[in-house]
Amino acid sequence: MAKLRAHNLAVSLDGFGSGAGQSLQTPFGHAGTRLMEWYFPTPTFQGMTGDRERQAVDPAHEPDDVFARRSLEGIGAEIMGAGKFGPPGWQDDPEWRGWWGEEPPFHSPSSC
């Protein structure tokens, strides 16, 4: 198994991985959630966010869910950008709890 792999980066057809202008009101920038709309209805994402009602596999989302599940296999740790947790400057705000609240849905098994 590789020691490092890069994956799960959504990129638009014109080469952008995020919209410009990320802020508290626009967590994904001007592009909104368009790059990840395929992912949100998958049982994998719904299970990560606790939406138990939507975890049943809808045949229309099965190919996307297969990709979503495989993206989590063999991960020991993740490196994420600061923008995944808040708008520019969030690190300086002691009250900020992140886009995802106290318990982000992103977890990887720990080997430590």
Side-chain angles (χ1 to χ4, degrees):
M1 178 178 286
K3 298 282 184 187
L4 173 71
R5 75 179 188 206
H7 70 128
N8 292 1
L9 177 63
V11 179
S12 66
L13 292 175
D14 57 354
F16 288 92
S18 180
Q22 184 186 38
S23 70
L24 182 60
Q25 293 75 29
T26 57
F28 291 94
H30 80 285
T33 59
R34 289 182 289 191
L35 285 176
M36 297 304 292
E37 284 178 355
W38 67 272
Y39 184 57
F40 298 140
T42 65
T44 297
F45 181 76
Q46 295 303 316
M48 292 168 65
T49 59
D51 190 348
R52 304 290 177 214
E53 293 178 21
R54 294 178 58 183
Q55 286 185 31
V57 177
D58 177 345
H61 298 293
E62 180 59 19
D64 292 335
D65 194 57
V66 169
F67 183 79
R69 282 193 317 265
R70 288 183 179 167
S71 72
L72 301 172
E73 294 173 358
I75 299 295
E78 296 179 57
I79 300 170
M80 301 176 196
K84 191 164 185 171
F85 296 98
W90 69 266
Q91 302 92 330
D92 300 325
D93 181 354
E95 302 298 315
W96 180 252
R97 295 295 176 250
W99 300 121
W100 304 98
E102 294 290 333
E103 189 62 32
F106 312 102
H107 299 280
S108 296
S110 174
S111 58
C112 300

